[in-house]
Amino acid sequence: SLGIPIVGWGIFVMGDARDRGLYGAFMRRYFRQFDGMIAYGSKGAEDFRQLGVGPDRVFIARNSVSNAEADKLLKDTDQARALVKTYRDHICLKQAPTVLFLGRMIPEKEISALFDAIRIVKAPCQLLLVGDGPLREELEKEAEEKGIDARFVGHLVGRDLALAILASDVCVLPGRGGLAIQEVMAAGRPVIAGIADGTQDDLVRNGITGFNIVEPSAESLAKLLDECFSMPESLHKMGVSARKLILREHNMELAVDSVLSAIHSILQR
């Protein structure tokens, strides 16, 4: 009524976008008031279309963070290798496959499920946990009680975060994740992901950039990790493919351009 275009921006719809009851009716009425919707990824865009937002009013600006630190490190592979070795020595990582967890230590991340899988992995491996949160102390105690070879390094940013990712072989995010998937892939490591914020549908391509957790059980995750550790060359190739995908389709520069392009398109109507 003010004559000002209203643009919405969101991850996806909480609940079923195809709901035909009261919830669906409310959500359709709510979203139709926007002149345009910008989604984080394909899932969100499809949700908005299902709720009646015209296809020509739905845009995608892929959820992204800066890749600058990873890019700097990876410009000189020899130097990166030396820095990663120093970092691994500093946090006392062994010469064994290293599984990374990156994120907040909260119930939704399902970190205990990762512990349960690590316990029954056949190949000797270790766990590197990057992040902090209310469950950290409890998880440290749980890891010790379950005999998990784990390193808790707290919240990291910048080069320290990039080094931690590069010190790992594969990242596992069994619970809800989001930007962590892109951060790990930007540094050239594959991701095994559970239900995230919908962006995993665009990022995690089975056997190419990582794996989606289809069956959320310790046994299935342990089996998948054993398969990964038995094929280090394939794991490396997945990491290379993961980084290429980020550089090509999921980065901050492209996200900004997509937002500006969406706004320009809406204003031209």
Side-chain angles (χ1 to χ4, degrees), residues 172-203:
V172 179
L173 302 172
R176 292 201 172 273
L179 285 173
I181 298 174
Q182 190 222 330
E183 287 180 297
V184 172
M185 289 175 58
R189 295 296 181 266
V191 177
I192 298 174
I195 298 173
D197 60 7
T199 56
Q200 81 278 4
D201 293 345
D202 298 320
L203 290 167

Side-chain angles (χ1 to χ4, degrees), residues 17-255:
R18 296 172 177 77
D19 181 84
R20 310 318 292 178
L22 287 175
Y23 172 81
F26 170 79
M27 296 300 279
R28 283 189 292 277
R29 182 174 181 182
Y30 173 76
F31 281 106
R32 282 172 182 166
Q33 69 185 314
F34 291 97
D35 295 283
M37 285 298 304
I38 301 175
Y40 281 16
S42 300
K43 182 186 184 304
E46 179 58 25
D47 281 354
F48 298 141
R49 286 190 287 267
Q50 287 291 332
L51 290 168
V53 182
D56 61 333
R57 294 190 293 123
V58 177
F59 306 87
I60 296 177
R62 303 191 187 282
N63 202 15
S64 302
V65 293
S66 173
N67 307 328
E69 292 299 334
D71 292 346
K72 285 179 192 175
L73 282 172
L74 294 171
K75 275 184 179 178
D76 186 333
T77 54
D78 290 336
Q79 183 183 41
R81 195 176 294 112
L83 288 170
V84 170
K85 183 182 184 305
T86 299
Y87 179 79
R88 287 178 64 92
D89 291 342
H90 175 67
I91 61 173
C92 302
L93 283 176
K94 301 172 184 175
Q95 293 301 313
T98 303
V99 177
L100 172 72
F101 168 83
L102 172 60
R104 287 273 294 161
M105 295 188 178
I106 54 178
E108 293 84 352
K109 301 296 183 179
E110 302 286 353
I111 302 171
S112 291
L114 176 56
F115 288 170
D116 291 338
I118 293 292
R119 287 181 73 186
I120 56 176
V121 168
K122 294 176 182 177
C125 65
Q126 56 200 335
L127 188 55
L128 174 58
L129 296 104
V130 178
D132 219 328
L135 292 185
R136 177 172 174 175
E137 186 175 341
E138 180 181 325
L139 288 166
E140 287 178 339
K141 187 180 300 183
E142 181 182 351
E144 185 176 358
E145 290 173 350
K146 290 182 175 179
I148 306 295
D149 187 2
R151 309 288 185 281
F152 289 77
V153 295
H155 177 68
L156 300 178
V157 296
R159 193 177 79 157
D160 288 340
L161 174 58
L163 283 171
I165 296 171
L166 288 169
S168 70
D169 296 290
V170 62
C171 177
V172 179
L173 302 172
R176 292 201 172 273
L179 285 173
I181 298 174
Q182 190 222 330
E183 287 180 297
V184 172
M185 289 175 58
R189 295 296 181 266
V191 177
I192 298 174
I195 298 173
D197 60 7
T199 56
Q200 81 278 4
D201 293 345
D202 298 320
L203 290 167
V204 182
R205 300 176 182 178
N206 283 317
I208 300 174
T209 62
F211 296 97
N212 288 289
I213 298 175
V214 178
E215 183 186 341
S217 70
E219 292 76 16
S220 62
L221 179 53
K223 181 180 178 182
L224 182 54
L225 284 170
D226 272 320
E227 290 174 0
C228 288
F229 299 153
S230 70
M231 52 178 192
E233 289 186 10
S234 295
L235 204 59
H236 174 72
K237 287 179 181 178
M238 280 190 277
V240 171
S241 296
R243 177 164 166 78
K244 285 181 179 178
L245 177 63
I246 295 302
L247 294 177
R248 186 175 66 247
E249 299 179 20
H250 296 258
N251 57 69
M252 187 67 76
E253 292 75 18
L254 287 174

